[in-house]
């Protein structure tokens, strides 16, 4: 079958989440046909999986301006821009209406399984750039399909590939056999069955970012409730406690993000969680009573726990992109031009520089990783970043380089100092106990369902040094 002329083809957008749907609206605004392929059964399928968690960005920061303009004639009204949506709110009140409006431009139950240049694997140079992209799709009914595209915008995120408990980046020994007592998500303690799983139990929380803060705050609230008495958190940190451990506090320009770290601090200070520092999990063993014992790479063995919540970050699924020529940073798996701007090994007390299509481009012209996936393994992605990315990328696809290069974005600072390169060093962490940005803030309590937080467009579990 001969591929059609590239100019006649749509732009394939992978993922009907916040960045993917924004990309589709920007493409339409440019007069280009989008085709959004979503593996889930509804728009925002990943967001719906953390529907119980509240964002630390307000409604004013999580609605794309072009999408809002498209929705306005339908009678849609953005919720109060100063309030904080939950993941469920975001999906039902914004993402689903936007997907409904896009209509046939969005296909659900369509998982992308591979992308290449038509008739060219990644080795072949001849006429490569003149060939359209061939996108292979698996539908939920078992049917397979191939579509051609003039360009590909991968906004599939990182939600489906959480990082393991093992301190080396690989699963700890025994981690997979212990799967019945391990979760890689912030538990929904509003759900009766989930609540019963953690009530009165001893639960290890592995991780040091926004999702770990959320889990600790939720477990503390459970411990203080009538039906959760005896619940206890064990917070596993690969570094020591320092001034930046709990985020930026009152110095964070996103107040709810700062408050979340303070809620985690309260959980520790009030005795609802014990912090174990400088601990890199090497093995997870099963005790005689079925509970789990975490073993560190230094030989330490912790007291048994009933449950383990692993929130050590997320990573991109690159398997369906392997026939494309991508330029990815060797550490973060983010585009090589973007990586230095977001590398937590280097960042200190700042924010991400404005970036657009040039930082997101690859050796394979016409391919862009946007949204959370563009950050690779780096933490703390914000929806407003994704919206500016897709504005620039779609302008570039449309040939409007003047607009594509006019990237203007100011992101809120975290109030956190120090690169993550030192965060895994227990000694350095202790030496930094005073912090350089975070004040000594008052403790706050964040109950389940109040403005607490996750990083927008998914729930990355990495740190908050952005």
């Amino acid at each position: 079958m001969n591929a059609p002329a590239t100019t006649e083809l749509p732009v394939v957008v992978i993922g009907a989440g916040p960045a993917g749907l924004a990309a589709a609206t920007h493409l339409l605004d440019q007069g280009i046909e989008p085709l959004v392929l979503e593996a889930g059964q509804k728009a925002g399928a990943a967001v719906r999986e953390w529907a119980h968690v509240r964002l630390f960005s307000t409604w004013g920061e999580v609605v794309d301006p072009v999408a809002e303009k498209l929705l306005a004639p339908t009678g849609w009204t953005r919720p109060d821009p100063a309030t904080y949506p939950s993941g469920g709110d975001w999906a039902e009140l914004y993402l689903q209406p936007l997907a409904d409006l896009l209509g046939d431009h969005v296909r659900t139950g369509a998982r992308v399984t591979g992308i290449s240049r038509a008739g060219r694997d990644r080795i072949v140079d001849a006429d490569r750039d003149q060939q359209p992209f061939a996108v292979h799709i698996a539908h939920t009914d078992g049917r397979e399909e191939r579509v051609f595209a003039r360009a590909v915008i991968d906004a599939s995120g990182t939600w489906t590939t959480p990082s393991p408990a093992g301190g080396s980046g690989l699963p700890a020994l025994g981690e997979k056999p212990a799967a019945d007592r391990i979760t890689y998500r912030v538990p929904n303690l509003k759900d009766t069955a989930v609540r019963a799983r953690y009530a009165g139990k001893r639960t290890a929380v592995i991780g040091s970012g926004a999702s770990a803060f959320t889990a600790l705050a939720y477990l503390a609230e459970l411990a203080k409730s009538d039906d959760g008495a005896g619940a206890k958190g064990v917070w596993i940190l690969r570094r020591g406690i320092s001034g930046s451990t709990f985020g930026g506090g009152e110095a964070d320009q996103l107040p709810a993000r700062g408050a979340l770290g303070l809620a985690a601090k309260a959980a520790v200070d009030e005795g609802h969680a014990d912090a174990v520092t400088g601990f890199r999990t090497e093995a997870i063993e099963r005790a005689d009573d079925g509970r789990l014992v975490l073993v560190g790479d230094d030989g330490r063995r912790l007291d048994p726990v009933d449950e383990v919540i692993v929130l050590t970050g997320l990573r991109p699924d690159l398997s369906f992109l392997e026939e494309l020529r991508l330029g990815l940073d060797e550490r973060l798996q983010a585009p090589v031009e973007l990586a230095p701007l977001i590398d937590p090994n280097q960042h200190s007390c700042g924010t991400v520089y404005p970036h657009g299509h040039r930082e997101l481009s690859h050796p394979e012209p016409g391919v862009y990783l946007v949204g959370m996936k563009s950050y690779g393994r780096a933490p703390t992605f914000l929806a407003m970043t994704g919206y500016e990315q897709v504005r620039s990328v779609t302008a570039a696809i449309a040939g409007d380089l003047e607009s594509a290069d006019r990237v203007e974005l100011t992101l809120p600072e975290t109030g956190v100092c120090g690169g993550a390169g030192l965060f895994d060093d227990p000694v350095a962490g202790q030496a930094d106990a005073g912090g350089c940005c975070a004040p000594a803030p008052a403790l706050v309590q964040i109950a389940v369902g109040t403005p607490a937080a996750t990083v927008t467009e998914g729930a990355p579990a990495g740190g908050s040094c952005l």
Side-chain angles (χ1 to χ4, degrees):
M1 176 179 177
N2 293 326
T6 302
T7 55
E8 301 171 0
L9 298 173
V11 172
V12 162
V13 179
I14 307 173
L21 293 176
T25 61
H26 282 265
L27 287 166
L28 286 173
D29 196 52
Q30 294 281 359
I32 299 173
E33 180 186 355
L35 175 59
V36 182
L37 301 173
E38 166 59 50
Q41 296 305 307
K42 289 185 176 181
V47 175
R48 294 174 190 276
E49 292 195 26
W50 48 271
H52 58 290
V53 181
R54 203 164 291 276
L55 282 70
F56 53 56
S57 294
T58 65
W59 271 112
E61 297 162 328
V62 299
V63 173
D64 177 75
V66 173
E68 184 173 11
K69 183 176 70 173
L70 185 66
L71 283 164
T74 69
W76 182 87
T77 302
R78 181 180 62 183
D80 183 347
T83 60
Y84 296 87
S86 66
D89 295 335
W90 203 17
E92 288 298 331
L93 301 180
Y94 169 60
L95 299 178
Q96 191 61 54
L98 182 56
D100 291 343
L101 184 59
L102 291 169
D104 292 341
H105 292 298
V106 178
R107 297 185 190 175
T108 57
R111 180 179 300 278
V112 174
T113 58
I115 306 172
S116 68
R117 290 283 186 175
R120 309 287 188 274
D121 62 24
R122 67 182 298 158
I123 299 175
V124 178
D125 289 333
D127 298 323
R128 185 177 188 87
D129 293 354
Q130 282 70 54
Q131 305 305 313
F133 293 97
V135 181
H136 286 218
I137 307 165
H139 295 272
T140 51
D141 61 5
R143 180 170 51 91
E144 293 184 328
E145 181 185 7
R146 178 180 61 181
V147 298
F148 295 105
R150 62 188 287 185
V152 174
I153 299 175
D154 183 356
S156 60
T158 57
W159 176 252
T160 60
T161 46
S163 296
S168 63
L170 300 173
L173 299 178
E175 182 172 345
K176 292 180 179 179
D180 61 315
R181 289 179 181 258
I182 300 176
T183 183
Y184 299 85
R185 312 299 188 200
V186 176
N188 180 9
L189 298 185
K190 291 182 179 180
D191 183 289
T192 303
V194 175
R195 193 175 182 86
R197 175 174 175 174
Y198 297 94
K201 302 293 179 62
R202 181 177 168 87
T203 300
V205 178
I206 306 177
S208 61
S211 293
F213 292 168
T214 303
L216 290 168
Y218 284 8
L219 290 172
E221 289 300 320
L222 176 64
K224 290 183 282 188
S225 68
D226 292 339
D227 64 340
K232 181 80 171 186
V234 182
W235 188 17
I236 310 299
L237 290 157
R238 294 172 183 170
R239 54 187 171 100
I241 298 291
S242 73
S244 61
T245 297
F246 299 99
E250 294 174 354
D252 195 318
Q253 292 181 6
L254 287 178
R257 181 170 60 187
L260 178 60
L262 301 184
K265 186 176 190 300
V268 174
D269 289 349
E270 295 175 1
H272 299 301
D274 295 329
V276 179
T277 60
F279 190 93
R280 295 177 177 85
T281 306
E282 184 173 85
I284 299 177
E285 300 177 355
R286 185 86 64 168
D288 292 340
D289 60 2
R291 294 191 295 168
L292 302 180
V293 176
L294 304 186
V295 182
D297 62 359
D298 57 2
R300 277 186 289 170
R301 301 172 62 86
L302 303 186
D303 291 337
V305 295
D306 299 284
E307 300 286 342
V308 178
I309 302 173
V310 180
L311 300 168
T312 52
L314 301 166
R315 53 185 63 176
D317 177 8
L318 302 170
S319 61
F320 59 87
L321 302 173
E322 58 187 11
E323 289 305 316
L324 299 177
R325 298 175 178 180
L326 302 182
L328 298 175
D329 178 74
E330 60 187 9
R331 295 180 298 279
L332 299 184
Q333 295 178 298
V336 291
E337 296 297 325
L338 175 61
L341 308 182
I342 60 175
D343 190 345
N345 288 292
Q346 302 176 21
H347 272 267
S348 174
C349 281
T351 187
V352 176
Y353 294 106
H355 62 276
H357 74 108
R358 296 194 184 277
E359 291 81 6
L360 298 169
S361 63
H362 292 274
E364 191 83 72
V367 175
Y368 300 94
L369 276 57
V370 303
M372 202 157 167
K373 191 161 186 177
S374 71
Y375 269 40
R377 299 192 183 198
T380 318
F381 184 84
L382 297 173
M384 63 183 83
T385 302
Y387 296 155
E388 180 61 13
Q389 287 179 342
V390 300
R391 187 206 62 77
S392 174
V393 164
T394 55
I397 293 172
D400 185 357
L401 293 184
E402 180 181 356
S403 176
D405 287 335
R406 192 174 61 250
V407 181
E408 298 177 359
L409 177 65
T410 301
L411 293 175
E413 294 186 5
T414 63
V416 176
C417 293
L422 293 178
F423 284 0
D424 275 359
D425 185 343
V427 177
Q430 297 291 355
D432 185 40
C436 63
C437 296
L443 299 180
V444 297
Q445 295 299 316
I446 296 184
V448 177
T450 59
T454 185
V455 179
T456 59
E457 197 187 319
S464 57
C465 183
L466 186 112

